[in-house]
Amino acid sequence: MSAAIIEIRRYIAHPGKRAELVAYMDEVVIPFVRERGVEVSASLVDQADEDAYIWIRSFENEADKQSKYEAIYQNPEWIATISPVVASLMDFDTAVITTASPTVAAG
């Protein structure tokens, strides 16, 4: 995929829950979004913040991003099962989502 939209998502786990969040992201969330066509290029822990988790994913364009958002976030499994677990492990209100595009030199 030639990504035109890169998302860098930084989440703050509830205190003492980062290891559980990382495991759930790696074992459940990332496979779930990949099955819906999202490219996930990194799953990271912040070395300076013991509660911070970062992942990077990409989309071809805005239309691709919106259709994949719908496939993920409107999915009954996401709504009933996955989202509640993620919410129990992290604070959605503190999430920082940076949307970026590659430079000419990088792309």
Side-chain angles (χ1 to χ4, degrees), residues 1-3 5 7 9 32-40 55 57-75 78:
M1 175 192 310
S2 176
I5 298 176
E7 281 186 347
R9 293 176 158 254
F32 182 84
V33 301
R34 282 184 170 153
E35 288 170 3
R36 280 137 193 91
V38 176
E39 182 178 323
V40 177
W55 63 314
R57 60 192 199 171
S58 57
F59 306 90
E60 292 178 26
N61 52 46
E62 188 62 33
D64 179 55
K65 177 181 157 186
Q66 291 308 316
S67 73
K68 289 176 180 166
Y69 267 34
E70 185 174 323
I72 294 164
Y73 301 119
Q74 299 305 312
N75 185 289
W78 178 269

Side-chain angles (χ1 to χ4, degrees), residues 28-98:
V28 177
V29 175
I30 291 173
F32 182 84
V33 301
R34 282 184 170 153
E35 288 170 3
R36 280 137 193 91
V38 176
E39 182 178 323
V40 177
S41 57
S43 175
L44 310 160
V45 292
D46 187 326
Q47 292 184 347
D49 183 340
E50 66 185 23
D51 294 324
Y53 168 78
I54 302 159
W55 63 314
I56 301 171
R57 60 192 199 171
S58 57
F59 306 90
E60 292 178 26
N61 52 46
E62 188 62 33
D64 179 55
K65 177 181 157 186
Q66 291 308 316
S67 73
K68 289 176 180 166
Y69 267 34
E70 185 174 323
I72 294 164
Y73 301 119
Q74 299 305 312
N75 185 289
E77 182 181 0
W78 178 269
I79 294 167
T81 305
I82 297 172
S83 181
V85 173
V86 174
S88 75
L89 298 172
M90 63 161 277
D91 181 1
F92 282 117
D93 293 335
T94 62
V96 175
I97 302 168
T98 302

